[in-house]
Coordinates of all heavy atoms in Angstrom, one line a residue:
A97 N -17.9 -6.4 -27.3 CA -19.1 -7.0 -26.8 C -18.7 -8.3 -26.1 O -18.0 -9.1 -26.7 CB -20.1 -7.2 -27.8
A98 N -19.2 -8.5 -24.9 CA -18.9 -9.7 -24.2 C -20.1 -10.1 -23.3 O -20.9 -9.2 -22.9 CB -17.7 -9.5 -23.3
P99 N -20.2 -11.3 -22.8 CA -21.2 -11.7 -21.8 C -21.0 -10.8 -20.6 O -20.0 -10.3 -20.3 CB -20.9 -13.2 -21.5 CG -20.0 -13.6 -22.6 CD -19.3 -12.5 -23.1
A100 N -22.1 -10.7 -19.8 CA -22.1 -9.8 -18.7 C -21.0 -10.2 -17.6 O -20.6 -9.4 -16.9 CB -23.5 -9.8 -18.0
S101 N -20.7 -11.5 -17.7 CA -19.7 -12.0 -16.7 C -18.3 -11.7 -17.1 O -17.4 -12.0 -16.4 CB -19.9 -13.5 -16.6 OG -19.6 -14.1 -17.9
E102 N -18.1 -11.0 -18.2 CA -16.8 -10.9 -18.8 C -16.6 -9.4 -19.2 O -17.5 -8.8 -19.6 CB -16.7 -11.8 -20.0 CG -15.4 -12.3 -20.4 CD -15.5 -13.3 -21.5 OE1 -15.5 -12.9 -22.7 OE2 -15.5 -14.5 -21.2
F103 N -15.3 -9.0 -19.2 CA -15.0 -7.7 -19.8 C -13.9 -8.0 -20.8 O -13.0 -8.7 -20.6 CB -14.4 -6.7 -18.7 CG -14.1 -5.4 -19.3 CD1 -15.1 -4.5 -19.7 CD2 -12.8 -4.9 -19.5 CE1 -14.9 -3.3 -20.2 CE2 -12.5 -3.7 -20.0 CZ -13.6 -2.8 -20.4
A104 N -14.2 -7.5 -22.1 CA -13.3 -7.8 -23.2 C -12.9 -6.5 -24.0 O -13.8 -5.6 -24.0 CB -13.9 -8.8 -24.1
F105 N -11.7 -6.5 -24.5 CA -11.3 -5.3 -25.3 C -10.2 -5.7 -26.2 O -9.6 -6.7 -26.0 CB -10.9 -4.2 -24.3 CG -9.8 -4.5 -23.4 CD1 -8.5 -4.0 -23.8 CD2 -9.9 -5.2 -22.2 CE1 -7.4 -4.3 -22.9 CE2 -8.8 -5.5 -21.4 CZ -7.6 -5.0 -21.8
R106 N -9.9 -4.8 -27.1 CA -8.7 -4.9 -28.0 C -8.0 -3.6 -27.9 O -8.5 -2.6 -27.6 CB -9.1 -5.2 -29.4 CG -9.8 -6.5 -29.6 CD -9.9 -6.8 -31.1 NE -10.8 -8.0 -31.2 CZ -12.0 -8.1 -31.8 NH1 -12.4 -7.0 -32.4 NH2 -12.6 -9.2 -31.9
I107 N -6.7 -3.7 -28.3 CA -6.0 -2.4 -28.6 C -5.7 -2.4 -30.1 O -5.1 -3.3 -30.6 CB -4.6 -2.5 -27.8 CG1 -4.8 -2.7 -26.3 CG2 -3.8 -1.2 -28.2 CD1 -5.5 -1.6 -25.6
A108 N -6.3 -1.4 -30.7 CA -6.1 -1.2 -32.2 C -4.8 -0.5 -32.4 O -4.6 0.6 -31.7 CB -7.3 -0.5 -32.8
G109 N -4.0 -1.0 -33.2 CA -2.7 -0.4 -33.4 C -2.7 0.7 -34.5 O -3.8 1.0 -35.1
P110 N -1.6 1.3 -34.8 CA -1.5 2.4 -35.8 C -2.1 1.9 -37.2 O -2.6 2.8 -37.9 CB 0.0 2.7 -35.9 CG 0.6 2.3 -34.6 CD -0.2 1.1 -34.2
D111 N -2.0 0.6 -37.5 CA -2.5 0.2 -38.8 C -4.0 -0.2 -38.7 O -4.6 -0.7 -39.6 CB -1.7 -1.0 -39.3 CG -1.7 -2.2 -38.3 OD1 -2.4 -2.1 -37.2 OD2 -1.1 -3.2 -38.6
G112 N -4.6 0.0 -37.5 CA -6.0 -0.3 -37.3 C -6.3 -1.7 -36.9 O -7.4 -2.1 -36.5
R113 N -5.3 -2.6 -36.9 CA -5.5 -4.0 -36.6 C -5.2 -4.2 -35.1 O -4.5 -3.4 -34.5 CB -4.6 -4.9 -37.4 CG -4.8 -4.7 -38.9 CD -3.6 -5.2 -39.6 NE -3.7 -6.6 -39.8 CZ -4.0 -7.2 -40.9 NH1 -4.4 -6.5 -42.0 NH2 -4.1 -8.5 -41.0
P114 N -5.9 -5.2 -34.5 CA -5.6 -5.5 -33.1 C -4.1 -5.8 -32.8 O -3.6 -6.6 -33.6 CB -6.5 -6.7 -32.8 CG -7.5 -6.7 -33.8 CD -6.9 -6.1 -35.1
V115 N -3.6 -5.2 -31.8 CA -2.2 -5.5 -31.4 C -2.2 -6.9 -30.7 O -3.0 -7.2 -29.9 CB -1.7 -4.4 -30.5 CG1 -0.3 -4.8 -30.0 CG2 -1.7 -3.1 -31.1

Side-chain angles (χ1 to χ4, degrees):
S101 60
E102 209 174 81
F103 184 71
F105 62 98
R106 294 188 188 117
I107 304 296
D111 60 0
R113 303 161 82 101
V115 176

